[in-house]
Amino acid sequence: EIVLTQSPATLSLSPGERATLSCRASQSVSNYLAWYQQKPGQAPRLLIFDASNRATGIPARFSGSGFGTDFTLTISSLEPEDFAVYYCQQRYDWPPWTFGQGTKVEIK
Amino acid sequence: EVQLVESGGGLVQPGGSLRLSCAVSGFAFSYNAMSWVRQAPGKGLEWVSVVSGSGGSRHYADSVKGRFTISRDNSKNTLYLQMNSLRVEDTAVYYCAKDLRQGESHLGDFDNWGQGTLVTVSS
């Protein structure tokens, strides 16, 4: 089973700042990595698939990069609605598809 | 508009059974694989099971294998999860999720999710 480790656990930033979230895989997942956003009491929302492709309706301030074992989600300028928990997920080796433990982006 | 609506959650004793349903609309249901993903209270996401569009292929997480059964009725646009021999550690919000891509390959990106249904296993 591939283990995904996200860092940091919590990111404290102000609106307008740049957020950089990391996801590291225990073995290569090629580019088969996705990012999800989850707000309290809501279902997750797909942001990025295949490492760098934005899902339908996702604003351009969200971008993904990486290949192999190291991936990054960048939010170029945080909007108030971006404060949430973010999960990475791999689909390269399955079953099971696995998720990281999450990074919480909170208001500083 | 794609909609996924789960139902069937509730309180059940350890060892008991429950069947979850997920009614979908807004897309060609039989063309997409469907998964169940769960989230224990205050915890992260855990993929549980997937069924192919035709229903002919099913896979499970080790934590539920032999106890849970995923199925679908394409004539009713509904996904199911039969949960038997429930354990306290199965307590979670259960989400149904639609696969991004149609077909039987390159699965595992979830582009639409239901609102979730809470399953509580407790005596």
Side-chain angles (χ1 to χ4, degrees), chain B residues 58-78:
Chain B
R58 312 174 191 192
H59 299 275
Y60 300 92
D62 285 347
S63 58
V64 306
K65 198 174 295 182
R67 300 188 298 123
F68 290 12
T69 302
I70 192 171
S71 62
R72 63 191 295 160
D73 186 336
N74 287 345
S75 68
K76 295 182 178 179
N77 281 7
T78 303

Side-chain angles (χ1 to χ4, degrees), chain B residues 7-109:
Chain B
S7 61
L11 175 63
V12 61
Q13 291 187 338
S17 298
L18 215 52
R19 189 176 86 151
L20 305 183
S21 299
C22 172
V24 314
S25 60
F27 68 100
F29 182 58
S30 64
Y31 287 4
N32 291 79
M34 296 291 295
S35 282
W36 289 96
V37 178
R38 68 184 180 183
Q39 187 169 37
K43 302 298 184 183
L45 300 167
E46 180 189 15
W47 171 79
V48 172
S49 183
V50 63
V51 61
S52 63
S54 66
S57 177
R58 312 174 191 192
H59 299 275
Y60 300 92
D62 285 347
S63 58
V64 306
K65 198 174 295 182
R67 300 188 298 123
F68 290 12
T69 302
I70 192 171
S71 62
R72 63 191 295 160
D73 186 336
N74 287 345
S75 68
K76 295 182 178 179
N77 281 7
T78 303
L79 173 73
Y80 302 100
L81 185 68
Q82 178 66 44
M83 304 186 294
N84 298 332
S85 303
L86 281 162
R87 305 168 180 167
V88 171
E89 54 265 34
D90 294 320
T91 295
V93 173
Y94 285 74
Y95 297 100
C96 61
K98 167 186 166 290
D99 214 276
L100 171 66
R101 300 167 182 85
Q102 295 181 345
E104 307 276 321
S105 61
H106 296 285
L107 304 182
D109 289 317

Side-chain angles (χ1 to χ4, degrees), chain A residues 34-55:
Chain A
W35 290 94
Y36 297 84
Q37 176 194 68
Q38 188 179 33
K39 298 179 182 178
Q42 296 185 17
R45 178 173 71 145
L46 178 65
L47 299 175
I48 301 286
F49 64 93
D50 291 348
S52 60
N53 295 287
R54 274 190 302 277

